[in-house]
Amino acid sequence: MKEREMQPSWLETAAGRLRRNRVLLAAAAASLLAVDLFLGGRGIAAMLAVAFVLAVAVLLPEREGEGKPNATGRNGTEQAGALSAVDLAAVVQDPLYIFDRTGAVLHANEAATLAFGPIAPGGSLQLKFRAPEIHAFIGHVLEGKEAPPAIDYIERVPFERAYRVAAMPIGGEGGLYVLLFRDQSEARRIDRMRTDFIANASHELRTPLASIAGFIETLRGPARNDAKARDNFLQIMQKQTARMARLIDDLLSLSRLEAKPYVRPTERVDLGRLLREVSDSLSHLATETGVAIKLDLPEAPLEVTGNRDELVQVFANLLENACKYGSSGGRVTLQARREKPGAETAVTVTDFGPGIPQEHIPRITERFYRVDVETSRAQKGTGLGLAIVKHILTRHGARLSIRSKVGEGSSFTVYFPPG
């Protein structure tokens, strides 16, 4: 009876294991709360994860030597705590460092090594990151002073990357700390793109609106009884409203494309037939611009997998651009070919106009990017045509290649995957 009473209860055993795993638990809680901070305060997920680690710590069988005093003293406790957190650090997707109260690195996970290069165990974290804001942040944490929960840090070599950095003590009295980097580069790039897009769209709509408002004011005032001026102003206003309508149509088209899931179309489309129809539909534009469209298409069906309406939009955009901006060359060629069965299918639209300077080619598929703003607006361009082309081709698993030489013209080639 006495022997049974001397055996620890399940609750006492669990409590003992919790005490012996306090470093792992503290590391788990701190790291998960840091991630929770970056994710916008979704506390439920972090609490569930901490509860899971808590359960594991209680249920894990004791290792040999657990619960026994460590002969190595405080330093041994720190090393054991660091080793206990290594497994946890390994599964963190973001760069993470575990360091002691002197700023010496005890462990860097793989993500940290890939992002910032290797650092030897015991190396100085403050020598690794020489930025003043990192030094001050780590100093506040080591001194136990109140510090902001996270700071922004920009790494400029080998290329610019933006991080949100959090640091905090772990392991209770073990003297261990964690430094966690959250890469914000892609989020910032998307935010900049969104801001630029809204600014550009607002500008493109504001310009014709300002023009229309000015003409209305003139018609209600000085030109009230001037029939000739009234007809001229109304014609300009009609052109400006048509321009706004085109812009809104392109914005809606781009929005619909981005809203679609990235599931490739499954219908079969005969490119030869489709390209002939597109060429016929733009014959009036070719006549107006003084351009002859030359077709080089196979007689046999040339099928690809795609959405017919979207592909019509792609080649109508490319052929229309060739007629408008390459009109000085007097001709445009439209060629489709497949070298052999099972190979890629290529469709090339070539003009013989002024060409595009090389520095502009990487950017001409960006929204609202124009090589020549005045020429584009004179040709009734919205700056969204090639962005729409790019989105459609991405959905089809196709790619666009652009080649141009100033004074000799430009070629836009669409490559469809085999099948």
Side-chain angles (χ1 to χ4, degrees):
M1 184 69 179
K2 290 181 180 180
E3 193 175 83
R4 177 175 297 179
E5 289 176 354
M6 293 295 293
Q7 291 179 353
S9 67
W10 181 90
L11 185 60
E12 291 170 339
T13 302
R17 290 179 182 174
L18 284 175
R19 284 194 298 272
R20 287 189 287 276
N21 286 282
R22 64 184 180 277
V23 174
L24 176 59
L25 293 172
S31 299
L32 289 165
L33 288 174
V35 173
D36 183 56
L37 170 67
F38 293 127
L39 292 176
R42 298 183 178 89
I44 295 176
M47 291 170 61
L48 290 174
V50 172
F52 171 75
V53 176
L54 194 70
V56 170
V58 171
L59 297 176
L60 276 175
E62 290 193 298
R63 296 176 184 174
E64 186 178 352
E66 275 190 345
K68 296 180 181 179
N70 191 339
T72 59
R74 180 181 295 275
N75 186 56
T77 302
E78 291 179 1
Q79 295 295 331
L83 291 174
S84 300
V86 167
D87 290 339
L88 180 64
V91 300
V92 175
Q93 298 288 325
D94 299 304
L96 182 148
Y97 293 92
I98 299 172
F99 58 102
D100 63 19
R101 56 171 61 100
T102 67
V105 175
L106 302 179
H107 177 73
N109 69 356
E110 184 179 358
T113 303
L114 291 174
F116 305 114
I119 182 171
S124 172
L125 192 62
Q126 292 173 313
L127 289 178
K128 180 69 174 175
F129 298 96
R130 299 177 180 273
E133 62 269 26
I134 295 288
H135 279 210
F137 190 49
I138 294 174
H140 278 90
V141 173
L142 292 176
E143 293 168 14
K145 296 180 180 178
E146 185 175 350
I151 63 168
D152 292 320
Y153 169 65
I154 297 178
E155 180 81 2
R156 303 189 185 279
V157 178
F159 51 86
E160 187 172 306
R161 289 172 297 176
Y163 292 93
R164 188 74 172 157
V165 187
M168 63 201 68
I170 59 173
E173 299 298 324
L176 298 179
Y177 304 84
V178 64
L179 188 68
L180 182 68
F181 292 78
R182 178 76 172 181
D183 195 338
Q184 302 286 299
S185 306
E186 183 65 13
R188 291 194 178 194
R189 186 186 70 83
I190 292 171
D191 283 342
R192 282 197 299 268
M193 286 178 59
R194 185 183 297 112
T195 302
D196 291 344
F197 177 72
I198 292 172
N200 287 328
S202 300
H203 173 74
E204 292 293 331
L205 288 169
R206 188 182 294 114
T207 301
L209 278 173
S211 175
I212 292 169
F215 287 128
I216 291 174
E217 185 177 350
T218 304
L219 287 171
R220 295 183 64 184
R224 180 188 297 270
N225 299 315
D226 188 338
K228 184 177 179 181
R230 183 171 61 247
D231 289 342
N232 184 38
F233 290 163
L234 288 173
Q235 184 179 9
I236 296 173
M237 290 166 65
Q238 185 178 18
K239 290 180 179 178
Q240 294 295 336
T241 54
R243 176 184 166 191
M244 283 195 297
R246 289 194 302 272
L247 179 59
I248 292 169
D249 287 343
D250 281 352
L251 286 171
L252 290 173
S253 179
L254 196 56
S255 177
R256 283 193 295 268
L257 288 169
E258 291 181 336
K260 288 182 179 180
Y262 286 95
V263 178
R264 293 185 185 179
T266 56
E267 66 178 286
R268 301 294 290 175
V269 179
D270 181 1
L271 278 181
R273 182 177 177 183
L274 181 146
L275 293 172
R276 288 185 180 90
E277 291 176 3
V278 170
S279 175
D280 291 342
S281 70
L282 292 174
S283 59
H284 67 287
L285 176 63
T287 302
E288 290 175 6
T289 55
V291 171
I293 300 176
K294 305 293 184 183
L295 301 182
D296 181 9
L297 307 175
E299 293 297 329
L302 188 62
E303 290 190 342
V304 295
T305 302
N307 180 286
R308 181 178 177 80
D309 292 338
E310 291 181 2
L311 292 182
V312 166
Q313 196 172 6
V314 166
F315 294 112
N317 260 305
L318 294 179
L319 195 56
E320 185 176 344
N321 285 349
C323 291
K324 288 179 179 178
Y325 303 111
S327 59
S328 60
R331 61 191 174 99
V332 169
T333 63
L334 181 58
Q335 181 189 59
R337 65 188 184 279
R338 181 184 291 151
E339 299 297 338
K340 59 182 179 180
E344 288 184 320
T345 302
V347 179
T348 303
V349 179
T350 305
D351 68 70
F352 300 88
I356 305 168
Q358 290 298 312
E359 63 268 22
H360 294 290
I361 290 178
R363 299 193 60 191
I364 60 176
T365 57
E366 294 179 12
R367 303 169 185 177
F368 295 113
Y369 187 83
R370 292 182 172 96
V371 176
D372 186 328
V373 175
E374 294 304 320
T375 302
S376 176
R377 286 180 178 167
Q379 297 292 349
K380 304 178 181 179
T382 63
L384 292 173
L386 290 179
I388 292 172
V389 167
K390 180 181 176 181
H391 275 75
I392 292 174
L393 294 182
T394 299
R395 182 169 176 262
H396 283 69
R399 57 192 174 90
L400 177 66
S401 173
I402 304 170
R403 294 186 179 183
S404 185
K405 190 171 182 180
V406 174
E408 296 185 10
S410 308
S411 293
F412 290 75
T413 303
V414 176
Y415 292 95
F416 291 93

